[in-house]
Amino acid sequence: MHLNLRCQFMARAAQAKGGDIGWKKVVTTRAVEIVERNDVEAPMAFVFKEQMQKTPHYLRYDHAAGALFLRHAKGNRVEARNEHFSYDWDHPTQWMTKRSEEKFVEIFGPDSMIGFHVGFQSFHASELDGLHDVNESDLVAAEKLLAECMADFIAADGWLWKKVPEPVFHLYRNNVGWKTTLSFNPDPRIGSDRRHFHFGLHQYEEMLDWKARLSELTDRPGTADEFTSMDLYEASVDGYAIDLEFALVDLVQHFSTTSRSIGPGQHGILSLPEMPLPVLDAFCRARRILEVPRAERDEGANAEAVELLEAIPDIVEAHPDYRNLFAKPSENAFQIEKWHSRPISIVPVFGQGLAP
């Protein structure tokens, strides 16, 4: 696929021939070729359509890349006429824009992003063709950035497809009821409504059961979505473990935030020699679990996390003066119930415990 894409970058150049050379935000149009894939090379793997959503999420699996690719919203409609790409988070070169903004901060310092008419977005942009004495190394670096940016794309059926990590279903409550969407980079949502739940692509039926349970408990309807798996990609991201991790992150962050906001007359509860061991141990246990990389946490770590979350109500009841260091124990109630409601696979071990 051939595309003419607008992109921007930082470069040293002069506004006029023989003029002073300084850093400029440069915009230009570049022709790029995107590698083409057919349905055999990159077959459709998943289709998920949210209720009331006009266009589904389409996910292909590219065998050569060994990765999933999401159909890009603009696809074959991406053209050079898009003049406002800096503010368009869906533009293919948005990652290049982000890197350019980081370069801007490196050059002008962190204070450059504060104040009126200051910052990368409001910094005047100059067309490359209108500049003089452009630094060659900056042009080479920009071309490299563009190549890296577009390396995450393939073309199929006349559309752009962007490489994405394996997503999970994100179930959360809005003003209408319980809604499901896809999340490619789930975040802990510290300090907000904790009733956000995640399920792997292979846990769709479990997600539906949990959504029905939430609808029953809260008397709020759940969306009716459509999901199709072509059974050619083996999903492995576990939504249950993600929610446990976020509960522990929330525990640690709440302790940190609350301890900074405690009034002068209450600082005594932060004294480590006086802090009850169960209170101190709760945060230490959470930290120890979180310090293990997500990919390396096993079922033992998850079981320890559940045990810790279940112990918090008793800790708070036994040491009420330290209640403020914890979020409301009820915030974890849904996560704990979700964990215990997950299906358990029992794999028999042959040759053990059997009569001869």
Side-chain angles (χ1 to χ4, degrees):
M1 176 187 286
H2 175 85
L3 289 176
N4 292 314
L5 289 178
R6 295 284 282 174
C7 60
Q8 61 185 357
F9 55 93
M10 298 297 298
R12 286 159 288 189
Q15 289 290 152
K17 191 171 183 179
D20 294 336
I21 294 179
W23 284 102
K24 305 288 189 296
K25 181 169 76 170
V26 183
V27 292
T28 188
T29 299
R30 282 287 184 266
V32 296
E33 286 292 334
I34 311 299
V35 62
E36 298 269 359
R37 294 281 192 260
N38 57 37
D39 289 341
V40 174
E41 297 166 325
M44 195 73 70
F46 303 100
V47 179
F48 178 64
K49 184 177 182 297
E50 302 173 28
Q51 180 176 313
M52 303 301 292
Q53 183 185 40
K54 185 176 181 180
T55 304
H57 303 279
Y58 294 101
L59 285 161
R60 288 181 179 269
Y61 179 69
D62 182 6
H63 289 287
L68 292 171
F69 284 75
L70 175 71
R71 195 175 85 172
H72 202 255
K74 293 188 178 301
N76 53 9
R77 298 192 297 275
V78 176
E79 297 179 6
R81 66 171 182 266
N82 188 339
E83 298 293 333
H84 302 289
F85 60 92
S86 297
Y87 306 93
D88 184 357
W89 294 103
D90 199 37
H91 196 271
T93 61
Q94 182 57 41
W95 178 82
M96 187 175 177
T97 300
K98 184 177 183 297
R99 292 291 300 272
S100 301
E101 185 169 341
E102 293 170 354
K103 181 69 173 179
F104 178 88
V105 175
E106 290 176 11
I107 297 168
F108 297 104
D111 292 342
S112 63
M113 303 302 289
I114 303 173
F116 186 66
H117 285 321
V118 183
F120 180 77
Q121 297 295 355
S122 57
F123 195 61
H124 174 72
S126 302
E127 290 284 345
L128 179 61
D129 292 343
L131 293 173
H132 300 268
D133 302 319
V134 183
N135 185 283
E136 186 65 28
S137 65
D138 294 334
L139 288 178
V140 172
E143 293 291 348
K144 182 180 179 182
L145 268 181
L146 179 60
E148 291 176 358
C149 185
M150 300 314 297
D152 284 339
F153 288 88
I154 62 172
D157 292 336
W159 289 87
L160 277 180
W161 299 73
K162 184 177 182 180
K163 184 179 179 180
V164 293
E166 181 184 318
V168 293
F169 294 111
H170 177 196
L171 175 60
Y172 63 96
R173 189 179 69 179
N174 59 16
N175 291 333
V176 178
W178 292 96
K179 176 181 173 62
T180 307
T181 188
L182 285 184
S183 177
F184 295 88
N185 294 287
D187 64 88
R189 302 176 182 272
I190 299 299
S192 66
D193 185 352
R194 284 285 312 287
R195 281 166 288 191
H196 289 257
F197 308 95
H198 300 86
F199 292 84
L201 294 180
H202 57 301
Q203 297 165 336
Y204 181 68
E205 295 300 325
E206 298 160 39
M207 186 275 293
L208 292 181
D209 291 342
W210 184 240
K211 182 190 284 189
R213 171 65 173 156
L214 293 173
S215 296
E216 176 186 356
L217 288 173
T218 61
D219 196 27
R220 288 171 178 261
T223 55
D225 311 304
E226 301 173 20
F227 176 62
T228 303
S229 171
M230 284 64 178
D231 296 327
L232 60 87
Y233 176 90
E234 187 174 353
S236 60
V237 179
D238 181 13
Y240 296 93
I242 289 177
D243 286 345
L244 289 182
E245 174 185 323
F246 289 172
L248 296 186
V249 170
D250 188 68
L251 173 67
V252 173
Q253 291 295 331
H254 188 85
F255 174 82
S256 176
T257 302
T258 305
S259 62
R260 290 195 299 268
S261 62
I262 286 178
Q266 296 178 298
H267 277 152
I269 71 171
L270 299 178
S271 171
L272 293 184
E274 298 177 16
M275 184 177 292
L277 284 177
V279 175
L280 181 60
D281 184 54
F283 300 107
C284 292
R285 290 169 64 188
R287 281 284 306 278
R288 281 196 297 269
I289 297 172
L290 291 173
E291 285 178 359
V292 178
R294 180 184 294 180
E296 297 178 17
R297 290 189 207 124
D298 55 17
E299 283 300 307
N302 291 332
E304 184 180 355
V306 174
E307 181 183 348
L308 171 57
L309 295 174
E310 290 179 327
I312 289 176
D314 291 336
I315 295 174
V316 171
E317 183 178 356
H319 307 283
D321 291 343
Y322 293 83
R323 183 183 303 274
N324 289 341
L325 295 180
F326 296 89
K328 294 179 181 178
S330 59
E331 290 291 310
N332 294 321
F334 279 127
Q335 275 82 3
I336 292 172
E337 181 181 345
K338 172 180 178 265
W339 174 264
H340 287 307
S341 67
R342 76 195 192 288
I344 305 297
S345 296
I346 301 177
V347 180
V349 179
F350 295 102
Q352 295 185 10
L354 298 179

